[in-house]
Amino acid sequence: VANHLSTLDDPVMWGVLPTATYFDSKTTRWSMGAADICFTNPVSSAFFRNGQVIETFRGRGIWQPAVDLAIEKVNNGGWVHLFGEGKVCQTPTYDSQNGVAQLTRFKWGVGRIIMEAKSHPTVIPIWLTGFDQLMPEGRKPPFNFLPRAGADLSITFGEPIPAEELFEAANSKGSSEDIVRSKLTDVVKKRVELLGRSVSGLMLGQTQVPRSL
């Protein structure tokens, strides 16, 4: 589960893996992609489906088939990558409390996938930096489709979230399923934030994104 800085996060992150990993669905990530971005025509739809992207509809909540399929993949030993925020959130948009930046609320689908897995999955927090400079938001066409050269990128993998943290959240006595899903999601969000602060500082690397090329 990672923060989400640009539309190029996913292809750049996993595009650097050894070519051999792409020939086995077990070593290729499954990801959830927005229907209104990735599945807008037959060509792009075929491209993303063959790239193990699950068509996900904004606004349809956590009970849609996309989340069901993600749970099925996890239960079959698959690797599912999630951007917890569910949208691109670049550093200038982060809220802060007492001088500490806060990630946008993570979507409850994260908690549902963990909650309904047959056994607690290994959950690895990931922190991205520099992708907001590679593809900054707010540029005018056609530049909004073009990566900016010279971006300094990093991908940091944290330690797996301790199983006892997930177990404690999943077994909250007297809690409704909604509360359990919320607690599981919050555990993941806090772990991604902690990793981000260890890499990018308390403000999570907040900078003003240049509006020019």
Side-chain angles (χ1 to χ4, degrees):
V1 183
N3 59 319
H4 198 6
L5 292 175
S6 81
T7 55
L8 288 182
D9 293 354
D10 184 87
V12 173
M13 287 173 71
W14 312 125
V16 299
L17 291 176
T19 303
T21 63
Y22 305 131
F23 296 99
D24 185 347
S25 64
K26 293 287 187 180
T27 57
T28 304
R29 66 91 189 92
W30 288 88
S31 186
M32 303 179 77
D36 59 334
I37 295 177
C38 301
F39 297 87
T40 55
N41 60 66
V43 174
S44 66
S45 296
F47 175 82
F48 284 105
R49 286 195 181 97
N50 285 315
Q52 297 192 176
V53 177
I54 302 170
E55 185 175 13
T56 310
F57 293 88
R58 300 179 192 271
R60 294 193 185 179
I62 66 172
W63 301 109
Q64 59 178 296
V67 184
D68 297 338
L69 183 56
I71 294 169
E72 178 185 324
K73 297 301 179 184
V74 169
N75 284 336
N76 289 328
W79 160 24
V80 175
H81 176 71
L82 302 172
F83 292 109
E85 297 146 302
K87 60 181 178 180
V88 169
C89 294
Q90 299 195 338
T91 48
T93 67
Y94 295 156
D95 291 330
S96 65
Q97 297 178 8
N98 300 319
V100 179
Q102 310 289 320
L103 291 179
T104 301
R105 180 183 70 87
F106 276 21
K107 302 296 185 182
W108 278 14
V110 176
R112 186 191 164 205
I113 292 169
I114 298 171
M115 182 179 178
E116 296 190 19
K118 292 178 181 177
S119 58
H120 285 307
T122 300
V123 183
I124 300 175
I126 304 171
W127 186 254
L128 308 178
T129 70
F131 288 78
D132 49 341
Q133 299 299 315
L134 179 67
M135 187 66 85
E137 297 278 279
R139 292 186 298 168
K140 296 180 180 179
F143 304 119
N144 58 319
F145 296 108
L146 301 174
R148 295 177 70 234
D152 186 8
L153 309 178
S154 75
I155 305 167
T156 304
F157 295 86
E159 294 294 326
I161 297 176
E164 56 268 22
E165 289 188 26
L166 298 174
F167 183 83
E168 181 179 354
N171 292 275
S172 304
K173 291 184 178 180
S175 297
S176 67
E177 289 189 356
D178 283 348
I179 292 176
V180 170
R181 278 188 289 271
S182 177
K183 287 184 175 182
L184 283 167
T185 302
D186 196 47
V187 167
V188 176
K189 176 178 179 289
K190 287 179 178 178
R191 281 287 172 172
V192 174
E193 280 182 333
L194 284 172
L195 179 62
R197 289 170 191 149
S198 72
V199 174
S200 302
L202 294 181
M203 295 308 292
L204 300 178
Q206 185 169 6
T207 56
Q208 292 297 320
V209 178
R211 296 302 182 188
S212 64
L213 283 178

